[in-house]
Every structure is written in structure tokens, then in C-alpha cells.
Amino acid sequence: MNHDTIQPAAAGQALQNTAGPAVQNAAARIRDRAASIRDVIRYIDRFRDALLVIYLDGKLLDQGVFLSHIKDIGLLHRAGLRIILVPGAAVRIDDILSRSGIPWRTRDGCRVTDAEAMPLIKMAAFDVSNQVMTALAGEKVPALIGNWVRARGRGIIGGYDWGTVGDIDKVDAASLGKVLEDGFIPIFPCIGWSIAGRPYNISSTMLAEKIACHLNADKLFYLVPGAAITAERFVIPEGLSLSAEDTVPALSLDELDAFLQTNFPSVNAGGKAPASTERSIHSAYSSPVDREKMHELLTIARRACSSGVSRVHILDGSMEGTLPCEIFSDFGSGTMIYVRDYGRIRDMESDDIPAVLTLMQPFVEKGILLPRSKESLGDQLSHYVVYELDGAIRASAALIPYSDGQMEIAGIAVDRSCSSLGIGPKLVEFLIARARRSGARDIFLLTTQTSDWFESMGFRLSSIASLPEQRKAIWTPERGSVVYRLAE
């Protein structure tokens, strides 16, 4: 969303579109492709040498998309990212134990068995890890399977015998550092060993979490088929934005708490969900297992972020290319849970001016904004704010004061790729709050093509005569901008 403000240097200027429609469309396509390429380069530079822990759900291993994920992991490895893999072995363990007639039970996301099951569990876990290592070898990516986890038996708690379930005591960070430095991808079977060498079964999802926390990983990924947070599948709390694909692209920890309370109230608050909420939740899932899995992943994400992992990503593993899309674009392909510094409004700096000019250009071409120059933005630098999303400038706006106490909200421009995320309203609300703190007598704006949008935010049609004299002097009838004023 954006509107026009005529700067003094631009008064009387007319927008000139000398190129034909075909040339303009080609230029727009090239600009969009270039923006995507710049994003990839920016993220490669940002995450070079970053440590990624990736959980691969066991259901993926027998699907065609598995090799596509392996290929992408190889590309990430060659791009300089350090990767640790934790393949889920639950499907393989289920199969082996069932064929062997060995029973098990599940509690709190852990498989509970007697000691007789442990050799088969260990065999299945290493079989899955070998499958992943073989696939990586096909991409000429070196990998190692190792026993880097020291564990202890959970024992008997409150009279309940946890059998072969283990808890992680330590991750051998020194050995892993050497493995990563030598260019290998470590692969973790879901097995931990005691000091005495006894093996214990560890939940793979929790193993990935603990590894990420122990090693202070930059990112933790969960690739799970069907793990998509969409408006169709969940109740989306008020204030959360959706991507163009109707998914929740990112959740801060506070937003995650609100999401969990809304969608899993009986689990998180000890109460019963309202009937309407329950219908929305249960109609979204094919079985209770799906619901439990999503709650498990979101709870893990919260714990990991609270324990020092900056970002946790939950991806639909059935989608090809979801890993590079999630890493090398602002909105990715899944849902990112983050601690801080993902999206923020801040004052514009001189180094931001080229990015803001690029951001405004499509709206200049459409006649929505008047042209700005580097010099005019520099002269009004103190009036502008930008919305920075993961290090990139995705929106800008200005608050211009006048001598009679009125203030103008001006030059709003939001990157088209962010148009569904509610950034425009956030900028306007931010500037309204700033104007009020500054004691503004009145807040107005001028627009040619976005009247409906501003009306929805509480602005009402006003007159040119109500403008400050300084602003009225540079208004032109040729442009025909109309005045909207914030209703009190």
C-alpha cells in the first residue's frame, strides 16, 4: 500500500512513461528476477558457515521427494553451510518390531520397550542413517555416522518404568566440530550411549532439538510431511499475517503462545476448547496423530528458541524444494519460529536510500508515487522509516511535520511480495503513534489510488483548503491527489 507525496523538488513534475507496455513488462520481469537473485546472494552471504540441524521425518525416506531433499542438502553444503542430519527412524523401527512380534508403547513422544527390543531398535536406527549416507554419497557429499551422544536411562519416574528410553547428557561438540571442519555432514542415529557403553533409544525429534541447543545452532529444521500451518487447517489468532500461499510464514514466541492457546487450549491451559474451535481443529486433521505431531513440533520449537536457537523452521517435507526456499527467501515455504530481529520498523539510514528508491520504482511507473531522487530522500532522511525484514528493506514511509502543527504521512511503499503480511498497516500505525507523541495537531495524507485502504484505517476525505500553506503551495490539479485526514 502506498500513496503520493509531492516533494518540493518534484513539484510540477509529470510522470513520464516513454517506453511501450511490452518494454515496461519486460523490465518489470527482469527487476523481479533480479530481486530474487539478490535475495539468494544476500542469504548465502549471511548464512555462510552457519550451523543447521535438519530433522528428516522417517516417512520421507520411501518417498520420491527424499532424493530431492538430499540434492538440496548437498547444494546447501557446497554453498558453505554446516549441516547436521537427524533422520527419524520411527517408521523403520515400527516395521522391525512388528515383524518380530515385540510390543511397545508410546508416552510423551517416546517409544517405551523392554531391553529385548534394543538390538532391533539400534539396527533400524543405523539402517536409516546408512540410507541417508548412501543418498548423500550419490550427490558426492561426504558424511559420517557417529556415536556423539552420551545418554543415561530415564529409569523409573513416579512408578512408571521408561525401559530403554534415554535422555541426553552430553553432545560431543569437540569431535563434531572437527567433523564439520573437515567438510563432512554428521548423521545422528536416534541412539545414545551411557558411559558404560549401554545404548538407549532417544526420540529423533527431541534429539534434533537437543543437538541444536547443545551446539547453539543457527537454525533447526523439521521436515515432516503435511506439517503446514494454514488458515484452512488452524484457527489463526487475530493479528497474525498470512503469506500469499495462505500459510503463517513466521511466529515470534509471543505469537506462538497465542497460537497454541487458540488451537490447543485443552493441552496448554488445562481447559476444554470451545466447540467451534474444536470443529476447526479436528476437521483439519486426518487422524489424532497429525494433531499430536504438530503440537509436539511447535512445543519443541518453543523450547529450542527459549534455549538459545535463534530460529526453528517447520516445513512440509512432502514439498520439493522447501529447504532452499525457506533459507534463501524472506518468506520461505513453511513457518519459522523466531526469537527476535526478523521484521522491524526503524529509522531510515543513508545506506538505505538505494534500496528505498528501488522499492518505490514500480509505484512510480504506475503513477502511484512521484519520482524521488537520492538527494531528495537524503534531505528528508530524518522523516523516513523503513521496515527491515531479515536484513532487507521491504517497505518505507515518511512522517513530515509542518509549521502549523499538522503532520503528513507520505511516500508509503511496500514490496509486492510482502503485500499480504500487514506491513502497510503496521507502518501507518507506527507513524500515527509517533505523530501523536510529537504533539501533532492533525494527521493527513494525499493519495490518488488507495483511498479505500486508508478509509479502512480510519482516514476520512478532507479538502485541499485544509492543507498547511506550505503543502498547499506544491499541490497540483494535474496530479489531482485527494486529501484524507485521520478521524478523531
Side-chain angles (χ1 to χ4, degrees):
M1 295 298 176
N2 48 81
H3 68 290
D4 71 288
T5 294
I6 305 177
Q7 305 294 340
Q13 289 185 359
L15 185 66
Q16 300 294 324
N17 290 316
T18 56
V23 174
Q24 291 182 42
N25 290 339
R29 287 194 299 271
I30 291 172
R31 183 173 59 241
D32 289 346
R33 288 200 297 267
S36 298
I37 293 168
R38 291 188 193 108
D39 280 345
V40 171
I41 295 171
R42 175 167 57 88
Y43 277 108
I44 287 176
D45 184 61
R46 177 169 183 168
F47 292 120
R48 184 176 287 112
D49 295 325
L51 178 60
L52 279 54
V53 177
I54 302 174
Y55 166 82
L56 290 168
D57 192 83
K59 295 185 182 73
L60 295 173
L61 272 64
D62 295 323
Q63 297 181 8
V65 74
F66 169 65
L67 291 179
S68 175
H69 288 319
I70 292 296
K71 184 180 290 292
D72 289 338
I73 288 168
L75 291 172
L76 296 175
H77 175 73
R78 283 189 279 272
L81 286 77
R82 298 178 299 152
I83 297 171
I84 290 174
L85 294 180
V86 181
V91 174
R92 195 68 51 85
I93 294 172
D94 285 352
D95 180 55
I96 288 179
L97 294 184
S98 295
R99 285 193 282 111
S100 301
I102 297 177
W104 74 89
R105 56 198 182 279
T106 302
R107 182 162 178 163
D108 295 342
C110 297
R111 183 192 304 273
V112 182
T113 67
D114 295 330
E116 63 172 334
M118 200 60 224
L120 294 176
I121 291 174
K122 189 167 64 170
M123 180 179 70
F126 276 85
D127 182 44
V128 166
S129 293
N130 272 302
Q131 183 178 346
V132 172
M133 186 170 69
T134 300
L136 287 170
E139 294 297 323
K140 297 180 173 57
V141 177
L144 283 176
I145 301 169
N147 58 343
W148 298 291
V149 175
R150 192 173 76 194
R152 54 180 168 77
R154 187 169 295 183
I156 300 173
I157 302 176
Y160 185 82
D161 188 352
W162 286 89
T164 58
V165 174
D167 289 322
I168 298 172
D169 270 343
K170 182 180 178 181
V171 175
D172 189 350
S175 296
L176 279 170
K178 185 67 167 63
V179 169
L180 291 166
E181 185 181 329
D182 289 342
F184 288 85
I185 292 181
I187 302 173
F188 279 72
C190 57
I191 305 293
W193 281 263
S194 70
I195 295 176
R198 176 179 294 178
Y200 288 103
N201 185 19
I202 300 173
S203 161
S204 297
T205 52
M206 295 180 189
L207 176 59
E209 173 199 353
K210 296 301 183 184
I211 293 168
C213 293
H214 276 260
L215 300 180
N216 199 25
D218 298 281
K219 288 177 175 286
L220 169 59
F221 291 88
Y222 285 94
L223 268 70
V224 180
I229 301 178
T230 66
E232 181 181 359
R233 300 181 66 189
F234 291 95
V235 179
I236 307 300
E238 187 177 353
L240 286 186
S241 301
L242 298 174
S243 70
E245 290 75 32
D246 203 34
T247 62
V248 176
L251 290 166
S252 68
L253 288 186
D254 289 341
E255 290 169 337
L256 175 58
D257 286 342
F259 183 89
L260 290 171
Q261 289 291 346
T262 301
N263 288 277
F264 303 93
S266 59
V267 177
N268 290 276
K272 183 174 175 59
S276 59
T277 302
E278 285 192 344
R279 282 196 298 274
S280 298
I281 293 170
H282 288 295
S283 65
Y285 289 93
S286 58
S287 71
V289 174
D290 291 330
R291 173 178 167 77
E292 292 167 7
K293 187 69 172 181
M294 187 57 71
H295 182 263
E296 175 195 356
L297 293 175
L298 291 170
T299 303
I300 285 174
R302 201 199 187 296
R303 283 200 308 261
C305 284
S306 299
S307 300
V309 179
S310 297
R311 300 180 181 187
V312 180
H313 303 256
I314 298 174
L315 309 180
D316 184 350
S318 60
M319 294 174 57
E320 185 175 343
T322 187
L323 260 175
C325 284
E326 184 71 10
I327 296 173
F328 296 129
S329 64
D330 286 334
F331 313 112
S333 56
T335 297
M336 178 181 74
I337 292 87
Y338 66 98
V339 180
R340 57 186 177 275
D341 296 338
Y342 174 59
R344 61 179 179 136
I345 298 173
R346 61 169 174 81
D347 291 334
M348 188 168 80
E349 300 171 357
S350 57
D351 289 346
D352 301 324
I353 290 177
V356 170
L357 288 171
T358 300
L359 182 70
M360 290 179 168
Q361 186 57 35
F363 305 111
V364 171
E365 292 173 359
K366 292 178 182 178
I368 297 173
L369 284 178
L370 284 169
R372 268 81 167 173
S373 66
K374 183 177 180 180
E375 291 72 22
S376 67
L377 287 182
D379 290 342
Q380 295 198 327
L381 186 67
S382 62
H383 301 324
Y384 273 84
V385 296
V386 296
Y387 190 91
E388 184 180 44
L389 190 66
D390 233 4
I393 305 303
R394 295 304 188 189
S396 65
L399 180 66
I400 301 175
Y402 291 91
S403 57
D404 66 351
Q406 295 192 67
M407 290 191 178
E408 178 183 10
I409 294 177
I412 301 175
V414 178
D415 191 307
R416 185 176 61 183
S417 65
C418 307
S419 60
S420 63
L421 297 183
I423 293 174
K426 289 178 183 176
L427 280 175
V428 173
E429 290 166 4
F430 180 88
L431 293 179
I432 289 173
R434 175 171 283 189
R436 285 173 172 162
R437 286 196 304 270
S438 301
R441 179 172 66 83
D442 218 345
I443 304 170
F444 72 93
L445 55 87
L446 286 93
T447 185
T448 58
Q449 300 180 33
T450 53
S451 299
D452 291 339
W453 186 72
F454 287 115
E455 285 181 356
S456 71
M457 296 195 65
F459 286 84
R460 297 294 178 261
L461 186 64
S462 186
S463 65
I464 300 299
S466 68
L467 292 175
E469 292 302 320
Q470 182 183 357
R471 185 65 182 84
K472 193 188 304 179
I474 57 176
W475 180 86
T476 63
E478 293 81 11
R479 179 75 174 166
S481 303
V482 292
V483 179
Y484 275 79
R485 197 168 294 279
L486 185 65
E488 294 300 330

